[in-house]
Amino acid sequence: QVQLVESGGGSVQPGGSLRLSCAVSGLFYENYCLGWFRQAPGKEREGVAAMYTGGGSVYYTDSVKGRFTISRDHAKNTLYLQMNTLESEDTAVYYCAAETRLGTLADVTCTLRARRNEFAYWGQGTQVTVSS
């Protein structure tokens, strides 16, 4: 059974930083796509960042480029999202997600699925609030 458990959310002032973590288990594939998504009140869920564990291109939505960094600790089976210079617009519930249906050009497919919210496995989410 695939499980994704997020942690690290909280409240922070504008300009501050947070690091989200996602413990991943139950994915018995050599490589797969991992991503972070967010949903703000009254808005649709959007892909924030995604990476293919086999390497290649990494996806970031335009609004977080240069501020957020996605990374993974293979040994700990943990995905991270380092968020710096946070803005009030970053306030949302953040979700960790995984996708294994990638086929060839897996890193490109990973990006496309992140843009389209087409991931199969989801965590419960963690709240991030940026406010003064």
Side-chain angles (χ1 to χ4, degrees), residues 7-13 17-20 83 86 91-92 94 126-131:
S7 61
S11 296
V12 64
Q13 293 186 340
S17 298
L18 281 175
R19 188 177 79 158
L20 304 182
M83 306 186 293
L86 283 160
T91 295
Y94 284 71
T126 185
Q127 176 71 45
V128 171
T129 302
V130 184
S131 173

mmCIF file of all heavy atoms in Angstrom, residues 7-13 17-20 83 86 91-92 94 126-131:
data_model
loop_
_atom_site.group_PDB
_atom_site.id
_atom_site.type_symbol
_atom_site.label_atom_id
_atom_site.label_comp_id
_atom_site.label_asym_id
_atom_site.label_seq_id
_atom_site.Cartn_x
_atom_site.Cartn_y
_atom_site.Cartn_z
ATOM 1 N N SER A 7 4.793 16.494 6.522
ATOM 2 C CA SER A 7 5.018 17.177 7.799
ATOM 3 C C SER A 7 5.784 18.461 7.511
ATOM 4 O O SER A 7 6.319 18.647 6.411
ATOM 5 C CB SER A 7 5.791 16.288 8.766
ATOM 6 O OG SER A 7 7.059 15.961 8.237
ATOM 7 N N GLY A 8 5.821 19.335 8.517
ATOM 8 C CA GLY A 8 6.622 20.550 8.395
ATOM 9 C C GLY A 8 5.852 21.813 8.103
ATOM 10 O O GLY A 8 6.433 22.900 8.031
ATOM 11 N N GLY A 9 4.542 21.696 7.943
ATOM 12 C CA GLY A 9 3.758 22.899 7.713
ATOM 13 C C GLY A 9 3.673 23.749 8.970
ATOM 14 O O GLY A 9 4.109 23.342 10.050
ATOM 15 N N GLY A 10 3.118 24.937 8.824
ATOM 16 C CA GLY A 10 2.972 25.821 9.966
ATOM 17 C C GLY A 10 2.715 27.245 9.528
ATOM 18 O O GLY A 10 2.385 27.498 8.361
ATOM 19 N N SER A 11 2.871 28.159 10.475
ATOM 20 C CA SER A 11 2.670 29.582 10.209
ATOM 21 C C SER A 11 4.006 30.299 10.205
ATOM 22 O O SER A 11 4.865 30.029 11.044
ATOM 23 C CB SER A 11 1.757 30.187 11.279
ATOM 24 O OG SER A 11 0.469 29.610 11.213
ATOM 25 N N VAL A 12 4.162 31.208 9.282
ATOM 26 C CA VAL A 12 5.419 31.944 9.149
ATOM 27 C C VAL A 12 5.105 33.344 8.621
ATOM 28 O O VAL A 12 4.099 33.540 7.931
ATOM 29 C CB VAL A 12 6.386 31.185 8.212
ATOM 30 C CG1 VAL A 12 5.827 31.102 6.800
ATOM 31 C CG2 VAL A 12 7.777 31.799 8.224
ATOM 32 N N GLN A 13 5.957 34.287 8.937
ATOM 33 C CA GLN A 13 5.783 35.649 8.440
ATOM 34 C C GLN A 13 6.285 35.759 7.008
ATOM 35 O O GLN A 13 7.148 34.970 6.583
ATOM 36 C CB GLN A 13 6.527 36.635 9.333
ATOM 37 C CG GLN A 13 5.934 36.753 10.731
ATOM 38 C CD GLN A 13 6.603 37.846 11.533
ATOM 39 O OE1 GLN A 13 7.706 38.281 11.228
ATOM 40 N NE2 GLN A 13 5.917 38.314 12.566
ATOM 41 N N SER A 17 10.935 31.182 5.974
ATOM 42 C CA SER A 17 11.198 29.905 5.298
ATOM 43 C C SER A 17 10.536 28.753 6.045
ATOM 44 O O SER A 17 10.340 28.822 7.265
ATOM 45 C CB SER A 17 12.706 29.644 5.223
ATOM 46 O OG SER A 17 13.361 30.633 4.459
ATOM 47 N N LEU A 18 10.230 27.726 5.312
ATOM 48 C CA LEU A 18 9.743 26.463 5.876
ATOM 49 C C LEU A 18 10.277 25.335 5.005
ATOM 50 O O LEU A 18 10.514 25.525 3.808
ATOM 51 C CB LEU A 18 8.210 26.390 5.861
ATOM 52 C CG LEU A 18 7.419 27.121 6.940
ATOM 53 C CD1 LEU A 18 5.933 26.999 6.655
ATOM 54 C CD2 LEU A 18 7.747 26.584 8.330
ATOM 55 N N ARG A 19 10.437 24.164 5.607
ATOM 56 C CA ARG A 19 10.790 22.971 4.840
ATOM 57 C C ARG A 19 9.746 21.909 5.086
ATOM 58 O O ARG A 19 9.545 21.490 6.234
ATOM 59 C CB ARG A 19 12.175 22.445 5.200
ATOM 60 C CG ARG A 19 12.610 21.318 4.247
ATOM 61 C CD ARG A 19 13.997 20.818 4.530
ATOM 62 N NE ARG A 19 14.030 19.899 5.655
ATOM 63 C CZ ARG A 19 14.999 19.012 5.860
ATOM 64 N NH1 ARG A 19 16.005 18.920 5.002
ATOM 65 N NH2 ARG A 19 14.975 18.238 6.928
ATOM 66 N N LEU A 20 9.100 21.492 4.021
ATOM 67 C CA LEU A 20 8.135 20.407 4.105
ATOM 68 C C LEU A 20 8.839 19.079 3.837
ATOM 69 O O LEU A 20 9.765 19.004 3.030
ATOM 70 C CB LEU A 20 7.019 20.598 3.087
ATOM 71 C CG LEU A 20 6.246 21.920 3.152
ATOM 72 C CD1 LEU A 20 5.143 21.924 2.114
ATOM 73 C CD2 LEU A 20 5.700 22.176 4.527
ATOM 74 N N MET A 83 11.133 25.947 1.132
ATOM 75 C CA MET A 83 10.414 27.148 0.701
ATOM 76 C C MET A 83 11.030 28.366 1.363
ATOM 77 O O MET A 83 11.004 28.489 2.592
ATOM 78 C CB MET A 83 8.933 27.027 1.060
ATOM 79 C CG MET A 83 8.279 25.764 0.530
ATOM 80 S SD MET A 83 6.500 25.730 0.833
ATOM 81 C CE MET A 83 6.479 25.607 2.615
ATOM 82 N N LEU A 86 8.968 33.325 1.595
ATOM 83 C CA LEU A 86 7.547 33.021 1.470
ATOM 84 C C LEU A 86 6.705 34.284 1.383
ATOM 85 O O LEU A 86 7.031 35.322 2.004
ATOM 86 C CB LEU A 86 7.088 32.150 2.640
ATOM 87 C CG LEU A 86 7.497 30.678 2.519
ATOM 88 C CD1 LEU A 86 7.467 29.988 3.881
ATOM 89 C CD2 LEU A 86 6.592 29.970 1.529
ATOM 90 N N THR A 91 0.173 30.800 0.871
ATOM 91 C CA THR A 91 -0.705 30.176 1.846
ATOM 92 C C THR A 91 -1.612 29.163 1.169
ATOM 93 O O THR A 91 -2.324 29.483 0.215
ATOM 94 C CB THR A 91 -1.553 31.235 2.560
ATOM 95 O OG1 THR A 91 -0.699 32.086 3.316
ATOM 96 C CG2 THR A 91 -2.578 30.584 3.475
ATOM 97 N N ALA A 92 -1.570 27.931 1.656
ATOM 98 C CA ALA A 92 -2.342 26.845 1.038
ATOM 99 C C ALA A 92 -2.130 25.568 1.832
ATOM 100 O O ALA A 92 -1.258 25.505 2.712
ATOM 101 C CB ALA A 92 -1.886 26.621 -0.400
ATOM 102 N N TYR A 94 -0.584 22.066 1.384
ATOM 103 C CA TYR A 94 0.412 21.471 0.497
ATOM 104 C C TYR A 94 0.325 19.950 0.562
ATOM 105 O O TYR A 94 0.286 19.363 1.645
ATOM 106 C CB TYR A 94 1.812 21.936 0.885
ATOM 107 C CG TYR A 94 2.100 23.349 0.433
ATOM 108 C CD1 TYR A 94 1.481 24.440 1.052
ATOM 109 C CD2 TYR A 94 2.965 23.601 -0.631
ATOM 110 C CE1 TYR A 94 1.718 25.732 0.612
ATOM 111 C CE2 TYR A 94 3.215 24.899 -1.072
ATOM 112 C CZ TYR A 94 2.583 25.953 -0.442
ATOM 113 O OH TYR A 94 2.826 27.241 -0.872
ATOM 114 N N THR A 126 -0.622 19.250 4.343
ATOM 115 C CA THR A 126 -0.171 19.997 5.508
ATOM 116 C C THR A 126 -0.385 21.485 5.225
ATOM 117 O O THR A 126 -0.114 21.965 4.126
ATOM 118 C CB THR A 126 1.304 19.686 5.827
ATOM 119 O OG1 THR A 126 1.691 20.341 7.040
ATOM 120 C CG2 THR A 126 2.254 20.115 4.714
ATOM 121 N N GLN A 127 -0.875 22.195 6.241
ATOM 122 C CA GLN A 127 -1.229 23.608 6.053
ATOM 123 C C GLN A 127 0.013 24.495 6.168
ATOM 124 O O GLN A 127 0.807 24.348 7.101
ATOM 125 C CB GLN A 127 -2.255 24.038 7.102
ATOM 126 C CG GLN A 127 -2.622 25.513 7.064
ATOM 127 C CD GLN A 127 -3.450 25.877 5.839
ATOM 128 O OE1 GLN A 127 -4.387 25.177 5.488
ATOM 129 N NE2 GLN A 127 -3.093 26.981 5.191
ATOM 130 N N VAL A 128 0.142 25.403 5.234
ATOM 131 C CA VAL A 128 1.161 26.450 5.292
ATOM 132 C C VAL A 128 0.445 27.790 5.267
ATOM 133 O O VAL A 128 -0.335 28.065 4.360
ATOM 134 C CB VAL A 128 2.142 26.346 4.105
ATOM 135 C CG1 VAL A 128 3.063 27.568 4.068
ATOM 136 C CG2 VAL A 128 2.959 25.062 4.190
ATOM 137 N N THR A 129 0.702 28.607 6.293
ATOM 138 C CA THR A 129 0.081 29.925 6.389
ATOM 139 C C THR A 129 1.170 30.983 6.470
ATOM 140 O O THR A 129 2.039 30.917 7.344
ATOM 141 C CB THR A 129 -0.827 30.021 7.611
ATOM 142 O OG1 THR A 129 -1.836 29.000 7.540
ATOM 143 C CG2 THR A 129 -1.497 31.386 7.688
ATOM 144 N N VAL A 130 1.129 31.928 5.546
ATOM 145 C CA VAL A 130 2.102 33.018 5.520
ATOM 146 C C VAL A 130 1.343 34.300 5.813
ATOM 147 O O VAL A 130 0.530 34.754 5.010
ATOM 148 C CB VAL A 130 2.816 33.105 4.157
ATOM 149 C CG1 VAL A 130 3.897 34.183 4.202
ATOM 150 C CG2 VAL A 130 3.404 31.760 3.775
ATOM 151 N N SER A 131 1.634 34.872 6.972
ATOM 152 C CA SER A 131 0.878 36.049 7.402
ATOM 153 C C SER A 131 1.693 36.844 8.398
ATOM 154 O O SER A 131 2.448 36.281 9.190
ATOM 155 C CB SER A 131 -0.441 35.613 8.033
ATOM 156 O OG SER A 131 -1.125 36.709 8.595
#
